[in-house]
Amino acid sequence: MTTPFQAMLQGKRPTVLTEVDQQRGFYLIPEHAPQGAAGQAALAGKPLRNPAGDQYLFRFGMTIVPVTPPNRRAVLVLMMNPGSAGKQVGAATISADNTVKRLYRQLGPEFGRIITVNTMPFYDSASQHLRQTIRTLADEAGIMPANWSQANVSSIQAILAQLNAQGEDVDILLGTGNLQSYNRAEFGKIMRALTPDQRANHLYAGKILKSGDSAHLNPQGPLFDFGQTNWLPVRLVPTRVGRSASFHVASKEGSAHV
């Protein structure tokens, strides 16, 4: 059975748009289960909702689709972790947080589909709480980091493979913000999972921070225009996190940071 998210990847439009969708100019399609057989196997038998059943634990992808899309082009945006959009189960209208609204404002005029994924796929709007959330998932739900990490990497691969199979050369806009040791390792896994062509020709950032990371696209940080005309082509710079291989990024024209 094709899920709404998979149908969206295939370019199929929902048949019903709510009044809220019409007013804000876009609709959202979240995916709370990983895409692809490998991603699904990594979380086999693991809970996807909290014990009360009213909130999802994970978001492995979410797409922002303008009500009047300018074209069928897609962009994949990699950020740090899901905020709140799509977290509530059974909501009549899927909520959109401020980051989602800003993505629509700045990329909606240029792309028919804005697909968001994250270095860490579990919901937690406060990045300073990520370490505790990792422990909570393990202790209370039996979901170890290896489970959600493999599910996330495999899901991102499956999403890109589906789009490429449709003949779409999807650009990847990096917006992680300053990475820490635990999610820099995840960033490295995702970058290594990309095809050589994706790594060499389809990676961009809106800005590069002094840390060598791409600036986050959320509205809480310093605002900048990350419309496509301002994208910086970036290359991956190998680094290490403990025993794990990972990357920073640098401009292809040099290493100018802000």
Side-chain angles (χ1 to χ4, degrees), residues 96-112:
D97 57 29
N98 289 333
T99 301
V100 167
K101 293 173 183 175
R102 186 166 185 239
L103 281 167
Y104 165 70
R105 286 196 304 270
Q106 298 209 315
L107 294 178
E110 300 173 339
F111 293 95

Side-chain angles (χ1 to χ4, degrees), residues 122 124-136 182:
F122 48 82
D124 195 331
S125 57
S127 58
Q128 65 268 28
H129 298 160
L130 292 178
R131 287 183 185 273
Q132 180 57 51
T133 302
I134 292 171
R135 290 192 290 267
T136 300
Y182 47 87

Side-chain angles (χ1 to χ4, degrees), residues 56-113:
Y56 292 104
L57 298 177
F58 301 99
R59 194 182 75 205
F60 289 94
M62 186 184 67
T63 297
I64 306 162
V65 186
V67 167
T68 306
N71 49 54
R72 292 191 63 239
R73 294 173 59 217
V75 59
L76 187 110
V77 182
L78 177 67
M79 292 184 285
M80 187 178 292
N81 58 287
S84 60
K87 183 177 183 179
Q88 196 73 26
V89 175
T93 299
I94 298 172
S95 63
D97 57 29
N98 289 333
T99 301
V100 167
K101 293 173 183 175
R102 186 166 185 239
L103 281 167
Y104 165 70
R105 286 196 304 270
Q106 298 209 315
L107 294 178
E110 300 173 339
F111 293 95
R113 285 175 285 172

